């Protein structure tokens, strides 16, 4: 396509050469972490299904968390958030799937506190609040204490790929696959590893976008700075995805940094802190994108990039609003380049922008089939056949140019299909 206002005004951003993706990495790849999953029987129709997960660090770790902003939040969210406020330390976590322990009142809080205590006893933790507790599944159902206790007896912690895979499987609900990623980089000349495992397929929307994500690292990181880095990474990953526009009651992202890599503690004065931040952000984006690819009933993975915005916040608002629009999502399912829905979503986003030079392009810059449908607020003629070919692909990329600044942001979503309605109308997770 010819050079026009639809072309990007920046060069692609590449990650630091110090950061290496670990193809076969898993939640136990960082030093000192072990995990397992067991079948506790929370799903009577699938008694063999792994539904109880435990993660453990051989050393108490500095920890940080970001939680759902849904006011109707689950009991384990309240308990784990309160635990982090005590010392910003964790050594283990216990997660059950199938029963969310949300909307369960005082009894739900009591069970969450009991889960901390029973995990403390099993793993001989120094304090009950060194245990994070999570639940995911059907709202309004209390986890069965007898099943948790029996399931814990089956847990055999290990640091190998098999044990890590069992952990990742045990946290799933309507997911069709596990979601993991890992990276390695050098800090102070020492190898540092970050790894993560997530679950999520439906009830996914910013703030956060039901999802859980657990991140481990053997880096030594100052606790307050760890919280700052996690919040920033969540904002550029899990808070920029949307499956269906619903923010869950249980959303949680936790990171444990046990310091066993032996590096000097990372803070803002450390020369390598930006590399660590970038690795964490890349890891979170990998997990967030995996959630979108596994969206309930989804047939398309959609990336929306907004460029030349006044601020990153404005760009993010525009991108998020587009991928969250049900009108846009259904058009993508129908493979219809109804670009008016994109422009409408940008205008409704709440971003402090002008749309006087709004440009919309379907397809990446280096794609010979890429077409510009709106050029500085002027409609462009295009081949409907080419547009249909682009939209028939399993991955769709849309670039929005605001021509108002130097900031940019990406958001990720999926189409809204008939299968999404069937999944959520006829069965519980």
């Amino acid at each position: 396509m010819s050079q026009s206002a639809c072309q990007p005004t920046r060069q692609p951003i590449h990650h630091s050469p110090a950061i290496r993706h670990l193809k076969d990495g898993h939640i136990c790849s960082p030093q000192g972490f072990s995990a397992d999953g067991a079948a506790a029987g929370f799903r009577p129709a699938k008694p063999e299904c792994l539904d109880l997960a435990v993660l453990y660090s051989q050393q108490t770790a500095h920890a940080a968390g970001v939680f759902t902003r849904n006011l109707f939040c689950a009991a384990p969210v309240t308990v784990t958030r309160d635990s982090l406020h005590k010392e910003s330390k964790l050594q283990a976590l216990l997660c059950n799937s199938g029963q969310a322990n949300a909307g369960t009142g005082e009894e739900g809080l009591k069970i969450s506190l009991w889960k901390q205590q029973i995990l403390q006893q099993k793993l001989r933790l120094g304090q009950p609040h060194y245990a994070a507790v999570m639940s995911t599944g059907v709202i309004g159902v209390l986890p069965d204490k007898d099943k948790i206790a029996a399931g814990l007896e089956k847990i055999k912690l290990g640091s190998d790929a098999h044990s890590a895979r069992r952990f990742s499987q045990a946290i799933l609900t309507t997911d069709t696959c596990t979601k993991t990623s890992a990276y390695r980089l050098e800090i102070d000349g020492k190898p540092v590893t970050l790894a993560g495992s997530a679950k999520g397929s439906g009830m996914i929307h910013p703030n956060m976008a039901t999802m859980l994500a657990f991140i481990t690292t053997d880096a030594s990181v100052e606790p307050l700075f760890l919280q700052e880095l996690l919040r920033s990474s969540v904002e550029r990953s899990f808070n920029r995805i949307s499956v269906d526009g619903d923010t869950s009651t249980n959303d949680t992202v936790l990171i444990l940094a046990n310091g066993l890599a032996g590096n000097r503690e990372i803070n803002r004065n450390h020369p390598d802190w930006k590399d660590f931040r970038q690795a964490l952000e890349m890891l979170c984006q990998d997990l967030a994108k995996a959630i979108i690819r596994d969206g309930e009933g989804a047939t398309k993975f959609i990336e929306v990039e907004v460029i030349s915005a006044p601020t990153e916040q404005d760009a993010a608002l525009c991108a998020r609003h587009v991928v969250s629009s049900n009108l846009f999502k259904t058009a993508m399912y129908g493979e219809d380049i109804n670009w008016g829905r994109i422009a409408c979503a940008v205008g409704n986003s709440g971003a402090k922008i002008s749309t006087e030079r709004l440009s919309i392009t379907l397809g990446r810059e280096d794609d010979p089939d890429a077409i510009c449908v709106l050029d500085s607020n002027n409609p462009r003629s295009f081949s409907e056949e080419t547009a249909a070919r682009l939209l028939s692909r399993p991955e769709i990329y849309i670039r929005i140019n605001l021509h108002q600044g130097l900031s940019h942001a990406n958001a990720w979503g999926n189409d809204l299909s008939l299968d999404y309605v069937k999944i959520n109308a006829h069965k519980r997770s």
Side-chain angles (χ1 to χ4, degrees):
M1 70 191 270
S2 59
Q3 182 72 23
S4 74
C6 287
Q7 296 293 331
T9 56
R10 66 180 184 86
Q11 294 298 314
I13 297 175
H14 300 288
H15 67 76
S16 166
I19 303 170
R20 179 168 61 92
H21 181 254
L22 299 181
K23 182 180 178 181
D24 299 318
H26 50 75
I27 193 74
C28 299
S29 291
Q31 297 179 60
F33 287 95
S34 54
D36 194 20
F42 289 113
R43 296 185 179 91
K46 299 178 180 178
E48 76 290 346
C49 181
L50 300 180
D51 52 17
L52 190 73
V54 174
L55 177 68
Y56 173 73
S57 170
Q58 69 182 54
Q59 181 170 298
T60 305
H62 288 162
V66 178
F67 302 90
T68 181
R69 295 182 191 174
N70 191 321
L71 297 180
F72 188 69
C73 68
V77 169
T78 299
V79 168
T80 299
R81 186 165 45 199
D82 289 348
S83 294
L84 280 177
H85 285 164
K86 288 183 170 68
E87 291 187 68
S88 298
K89 290 182 178 180
L90 291 173
Q91 193 171 1
L93 67 86
L94 171 62
C95 178
N96 73 273
S97 60
Q99 299 169 354
N101 197 9
T104 50
E106 283 297 319
E107 193 60 33
L109 288 170
K110 290 178 181 178
I111 287 182
S112 294
L113 291 168
W114 172 84
K115 285 171 70 176
Q116 284 188 315
Q117 294 166 355
I118 194 173
L119 192 62
Q120 178 197 18
Q121 294 168 10
K122 179 178 177 64
L123 301 179
R124 300 178 182 177
L125 308 180
Q127 297 289 340
H129 61 260
Y130 289 165
V133 290
M134 299 292 129
S135 296
T136 181
V138 180
I139 293 171
V141 181
L142 282 165
D144 187 296
K145 292 171 70 173
D146 291 338
K147 290 179 178 178
I148 291 172
L152 274 175
E153 290 298 317
K154 301 177 184 178
I155 292 291
K156 307 296 180 185
L157 294 172
S159 299
D160 58 354
H162 175 70
S163 299
R165 186 163 51 250
R166 287 172 61 85
F167 172 88
S168 297
Q169 290 170 339
I171 65 176
L172 307 181
T173 51
T174 59
D175 308 60
T176 65
C177 61
T178 58
K179 300 157 182 72
T180 61
S181 185
Y183 287 89
R184 183 164 291 154
L185 69 160
E186 281 201 358
I187 295 179
D188 297 329
K190 300 180 183 297
V192 165
T193 306
L194 301 93
S197 181
K199 65 83 53 182
S201 184
M203 203 179 281
I204 304 294
H205 190 61
N207 298 329
M208 280 175 315
T210 286
M211 64 149 271
L212 301 173
F214 307 121
I215 300 168
T216 57
T217 180
D218 47 21
S220 175
V221 188
E222 190 273 323
L224 290 177
F225 194 52
L226 185 65
Q227 180 68 51
E228 180 184 333
L229 292 176
L230 181 64
R231 190 170 296 282
S232 171
S233 295
V234 166
E235 179 57 36
R236 291 177 173 173
S237 56
F238 299 111
N239 275 355
R240 292 190 185 172
I241 61 175
S242 184
V243 170
D244 48 24
D246 276 307
T247 299
S248 167
T249 57
N250 293 58
D251 294 337
T252 300
V253 179
L254 290 178
I255 182 169
L256 281 71
N258 65 18
L260 290 177
N263 63 286
R264 183 162 52 89
E265 188 174 71
I266 298 172
N267 55 33
R268 197 170 287 278
N269 295 319
H270 195 290
D272 298 328
W273 77 265
K274 290 185 179 180
D275 283 349
F276 183 82
R277 179 186 63 180
Q278 188 173 38
L280 178 59
E281 187 174 307
M282 291 164 63
L283 177 70
C284 289
Q285 287 189 2
D286 285 353
L287 297 176
K289 291 176 185 178
I291 288 172
I292 289 299
R293 293 182 192 280
D294 193 32
E296 290 177 345
T299 69
K300 313 281 187 187
F301 174 87
I302 305 164
E303 179 176 3
V304 172
E305 182 176 24
V306 175
I307 64 173
S308 301
T311 68
E312 183 180 351
Q313 182 181 17
D314 290 321
L317 278 171
C318 292
R320 282 172 47 171
H321 211 68
V322 173
V323 299
S324 302
S325 164
N326 285 341
L327 283 174
F328 167 73
K329 292 159 91 68
T330 51
M332 295 300 97
Y333 174 67
E335 300 178 359
D336 175 22
I337 184 57
N338 190 342
W339 59 261
R341 296 183 179 184
I342 301 172
C344 182
V346 170
N348 281 330
S349 67
K352 297 177 181 179
I353 59 169
S354 167
T355 59
E356 291 181 359
R357 296 190 63 203
L358 180 65
S359 300
I360 300 171
T361 299
L362 177 62
R364 297 188 181 276
E365 181 184 8
D366 58 356
D367 188 336
D369 285 337
I371 54 175
C372 181
V373 295
L374 186 68
D375 190 350
S376 289
N377 229 18
N378 294 301
R380 288 271 297 269
S381 60
F382 58 88
S383 164
E384 292 282 354
E385 183 179 316
T386 302
R389 186 163 59 248
L390 285 164
L391 294 177
S392 67
R393 298 174 180 175
E395 297 198 5
I396 297 170
Y397 171 83
I398 292 169
R399 184 170 67 251
I400 298 168
N401 195 331
L402 298 176
H403 299 284
Q404 282 184 261
L406 300 175
S407 298
H408 75 281
N410 298 65
W412 302 273
N414 51 260
D415 58 342
L416 201 57
S417 72
L418 297 175
D419 282 343
Y420 175 84
V421 177
K422 293 176 183 177
I423 289 168
N424 284 281
H426 299 301
K427 74 173 184 179
R428 301 185 189 183
S429 59

